Amino acid sequence: MRKRDIPELIQRLDQMFPNAQCELVHHSPFTLLVATMLSAQTTDEMVNRVTKDLFQSYDQPEQYAAMSQEELEKHIRRIGLFRSKAKHIIAMSKILLEEYHGEVPQTREELVKLPGVGRKTANVVISNAFHVPAIAVDTHVDRVSKRLGLSKWKDSVLEVEKNLMKLIPQEEWTQTHHRLIFLGRYQCKAQNPQCADCQLLDLCREGLKRMKNADLVENT
Ligand code: SF4
């Protein structure tokens, strides 16, 4: 995609997904951090099903720090990688109590030092809980960025994030991040992107290629 097409892309994403937002249900920075840690390699929908009950009884770091790993595992066992996630959430809660007065730190640098917290999780937390502009690159953002030509296919997740930060104005980072996730979730799906009725088709190299290939198949 050409750099001069970026404002048009942002505008169309805005029209396509005006209400795009974080779909992980939470009511505090701490519950957002726990939900995001649980969401690795699992759908937000599954996380929300589990946290609906979990957060009614447990929504403070003190409560998680006092839990045994087995106890937390019982609550989250429907989620993939539940054993390591339980271990990390308990360890993370203990550090919040010991080093941060029970509060979630507000910088990426501090967050990524917590057990089980990577750059993507940190970006989700700082942007949604503390309104710090950030772009969290999950599987959807990675895929649609490459299909749209905002990044190269061989780029790492970090390179995708840096490319997006260069191309998109900072004040648009957080909202564009949500919209790219919605694009990947509802339009530009991994297996079956809906290119024919995508409002981004004329801007999208991959979409145009797919439509051309589909035409060739139809005409042979
Ligand atoms: Fe994805 Fe196709 Fe839309 Fe491009 S045109 S963003 S590949 S759905």
Side-chain angles (χ1 to χ4, degrees), residues 28-48:
S28 64
F30 179 71
T31 50
L32 175 61
L33 176 55
V34 172
T36 311
M37 289 172 76
L38 289 174
S39 72
Q41 295 181 40
T42 306
T43 63
D44 287 2
E45 199 185 343
M46 174 54 85
V47 172
N48 290 339

Side-chain angles (χ1 to χ4, degrees), residues 147-148 183 187-188 193-195 198 200-201 204 206-207:
R147 283 181 175 164
L148 284 165
L183 176 67
Q187 181 87 32
C188 191
Q194 310 291 305
C195 301
C198 181
L200 306 178
L201 181 59
C204 178
E206 176 72 14

Side-chain angles (χ1 to χ4, degrees), residues 157-184:
V157 166
L158 183 57
E159 285 168 328
V160 172
E161 182 186 327
K162 288 188 173 162
N163 288 336
L164 292 174
M165 286 162 68
K166 249 188 263 161
L167 290 167
I168 296 166
Q170 190 175 11
E171 65 275 15
E172 302 282 356
W173 286 355
T174 300
Q175 211 42 45
T176 303
H177 150 243
H178 290 310
R179 289 175 182 144
L180 290 175
I181 291 177
F182 272 49
L183 176 67

Side-chain angles (χ1 to χ4, degrees), residues 130-159:
F130 304 122
H131 310 293
V132 177
I135 300 178
V137 179
D138 70 352
T139 181
H140 298 300
V141 176
D142 184 65
R143 183 179 67 255
V144 303
S145 297
K146 290 172 180 175
R147 283 181 175 164
L148 284 165
L150 300 170
S151 218
K152 296 199 178 84
W153 285 103
K154 65 176 177 51
D155 286 347
S156 66
V157 166
L158 183 57
E159 285 168 328

